[in-house]
Amino acid sequence: MPGGGRCPDCGSAELVEDSHYSQSQLVCSDCGCVVTEGVLTTTYSDEGNLREVTYSRSTGENEQVSRSQQRGLRRVRDLCRVLQLPPTFEDTAVAYYQQAYRHSGIRAARLQKKEVLVGCCVLITCRQHNWPLTMGTICTLLYADLDAFSGTYMQIVKLLGLDVPSLCLADLVKTYCSSFKLFQASPSVPAKYVEDKEKMLSRTLQLVELADETWLVTGRHPLPVITAATFLAWQSLRPSDRLTCSLARFCKLANVDLPYPASSRLQELLAVLLRMAEQLAWLQVLKLNKRSVVKHISDLLQHRRTLVRKAFRDGTAEMEAQEEERQGQGQGQGRGKEEGGSSSLDLSEEKRGASPALLLPPCMLKPPKRIRPTPSVSTVTGDENISDSEIEQYLRTPQEVRDFLKAQAARQAAVSVPNPP
């Protein structure tokens, strides 16, 4: 219905009422100019003071979410639904993404980092709720680089000031081993290699706890240790059929990647089992090796705590005996060197290498080589000769310059005089 007055732009009198966001306003039907604007109450302060503001000054106009942020929020929700997380997890992850996006460094970051940010918010939420989820799983779903993901993860935790607990080792074992394709028969897995999931998880957890008690986990990435423990658990359940299977083939059958240090962790875990086997009387006569000890893992794990304690006690006593022997031989060290024999330190190292049964942390069994400092090539005393090409920079007064030129001319004159026949 036309209203009174004229349009300030075109002068037309065809003004009509138009409802915009449930607010009435007059609009020119000829040119579309808004003659009078509706009013909105949008902020707590305005509501408290009973004041109204126009739509152009309202929060509905000023607090629009950018397309990049909208896309990130959708990706957070989609990732939570793919992982089948509870609805409360989704709300928390969305809130973390919104908090991180308020920082200018995140808003100006590249699209790849914003995609990684989606996974970081979901992983932080799962860690805080003790939900077993690994960083590698999210990187696989997002096709993200693990190093870039871990760097962004630490940045967000520090930026938001969050307290994120580390993932429990037992939960990590359950999550990681559940993805193995060895729990049901398939054309790619022979029947003799199929194993019950609960039996395999139970024995793997015991072996991982054993590795933790013997310092094989401390300061190291847990996945190689878990991979080695899972392989030994799988072999020990049916050793007659599986001892010929290698670690690489096992990972291929399980459809998991073989971490590079897993072979080293496997050898260290076998060495611990051999040391424990020396404490059982009925196993001492069998002369076990790293291959045959797998058949007796069940007995070793049954008496795990007692055997580990005895192995530590015997290892400590053996180290004390070696220390006393080294001190006794230290008195004749000089005479041994003169006769061409080895020093006490060499003897100690030979015995340590010949007796790998010592149950000690890996850093003590294989200590890092110390780099000896190289002696300085020359020591400056201040009495060194100064060459003619460098002496000019030491001359300060005109008298010193004259004396230098005089001495140089005298030396040249002495050189030019021929020697008498």
Side-chain angles (χ1 to χ4, degrees), residues 345-359:
L345 181 60
D346 297 334
L347 290 173
S348 178
E349 290 178 352
E350 290 177 1
K351 289 186 177 182
R352 183 178 298 180
S355 178
L358 284 177
L359 194 54

Side-chain angles (χ1 to χ4, degrees), residues 3 58 101 135 178 209 293 318 334 339 361 363-364:
S58 67
Y101 209 88
M135 193 176 292
S178 297
E209 291 175 359
V293 74
E318 188 172 347
E339 296 176 356
C363 61
M364 295 183 64

Side-chain angles (χ1 to χ4, degrees), residues 89-111:
F89 288 26
E90 180 179 329
D91 297 338
T92 306
V94 167
Y96 285 151
Y97 188 89
Q98 291 174 337
Q99 292 178 25
Y101 209 88
R102 294 172 187 168
H103 295 269
S104 58
I106 300 298
R107 288 197 304 269
R110 295 183 177 181
L111 184 60

Side-chain angles (χ1 to χ4, degrees), residues 3 41 87 91 103 110 124 156-157 201 250 293 332 349 389 416:
T41 302
D91 297 338
H103 295 269
R110 295 183 177 181
I124 290 172
I156 297 303
V157 170
L201 284 177
F250 167 77
V293 74
E349 290 178 352
S389 60
S416 61

Side-chain angles (χ1 to χ4, degrees), residues 73-319:
L73 294 174
R74 286 196 303 268
R75 293 286 289 165
V76 171
R77 296 188 178 96
D78 292 342
L79 184 58
C80 291
R81 291 164 188 170
V82 168
L83 296 170
Q84 298 181 355
L85 301 179
T88 55
F89 288 26
E90 180 179 329
D91 297 338
T92 306
V94 167
Y96 285 151
Y97 188 89
Q98 291 174 337
Q99 292 178 25
Y101 209 88
R102 294 172 187 168
H103 295 269
S104 58
I106 300 298
R107 288 197 304 269
R110 295 183 177 181
L111 184 60
Q112 294 179 351
K113 186 169 185 178
K114 292 179 181 177
E115 183 74 5
V116 170
L117 176 62
V118 170
C120 292
C121 295
V122 175
L123 180 61
I124 290 172
T125 303
C126 292
R127 291 284 176 87
Q128 289 181 335
H129 290 82
N130 198 24
W131 188 275
L133 180 66
T134 62
M135 193 176 292
T137 301
I138 294 188
C139 288
T140 302
L141 293 175
L142 298 178
Y143 300 98
D145 180 69
L146 185 60
D147 294 335
F149 188 95
S150 59
T152 306
Y153 175 82
M154 298 303 296
Q155 179 187 2
I156 297 303
V157 170
K158 184 177 180 180
L159 194 64
L160 301 182
L162 301 176
D163 183 15
V164 183
S166 58
L167 185 62
C168 177
L169 193 60
D171 293 337
L172 182 59
V173 171
K174 295 177 183 178
T175 305
Y176 183 65
C177 294
S178 297
S179 61
F180 285 21
K181 294 185 178 180
L182 293 173
F183 307 124
Q184 55 184 358
S186 65
S188 60
V189 181
K192 63 179 181 180
Y193 291 158
V194 178
E195 189 52 67
D196 181 70
K197 181 178 179 180
E198 296 302 325
K199 291 182 179 179
M200 189 168 169
L201 284 177
S202 176
R203 183 155 295 184
T204 301
L205 283 172
Q206 292 179 344
L207 286 170
V208 171
E209 291 175 359
L210 173 63
D212 189 22
E213 294 171 356
T214 53
W215 294 297
L216 299 184
V217 182
T218 306
R220 291 171 166 179
H221 198 285
L223 288 187
V225 180
I226 296 174
T227 302
T230 307
F231 174 63
L232 288 178
W234 175 77
Q235 278 191 325
S236 64
L237 290 173
R238 293 181 64 178
S240 59
D241 296 329
R242 300 169 182 172
L243 279 179
T244 57
C245 183
S246 63
L247 177 61
R249 188 185 177 194
F250 167 77
C251 292
K252 187 175 181 180
L253 291 171
N255 195 23
V256 295
D257 296 332
L258 174 59
Y260 167 70
S263 300
S264 301
R265 302 294 90 83
L266 176 61
Q267 297 302 318
E268 293 172 353
L269 197 52
L270 287 171
V272 171
L273 293 172
L274 281 174
R275 180 61 174 169
M276 293 169 59
E278 293 180 357
Q279 311 301 322
L280 288 177
W282 63 88
L283 295 181
Q284 292 177 357
V285 297
L286 298 180
K287 297 181 180 180
L288 300 177
N289 54 29
K290 290 185 177 181
R291 182 182 179 87
S292 57
V293 74
V294 178
K295 302 177 182 179
H296 307 280
I297 285 181
S298 178
D299 294 336
L300 297 175
L301 292 178
Q302 184 179 358
H303 308 283
R304 184 187 76 202
R305 300 189 182 280
T306 302
L307 296 178
V308 170
R309 186 163 52 250
K310 290 181 62 178
F312 276 130
R313 184 171 61 249
D314 294 349
T316 304
E318 188 172 347
M319 285 188 63

Side-chain angles (χ1 to χ4, degrees), residues 402-417:
R402 287 193 295 270
D403 293 342
F404 171 69
L405 294 175
K406 186 186 221 180
Q408 194 174 24
R411 186 176 63 178
Q412 291 178 356
V415 172
S416 61
V417 174

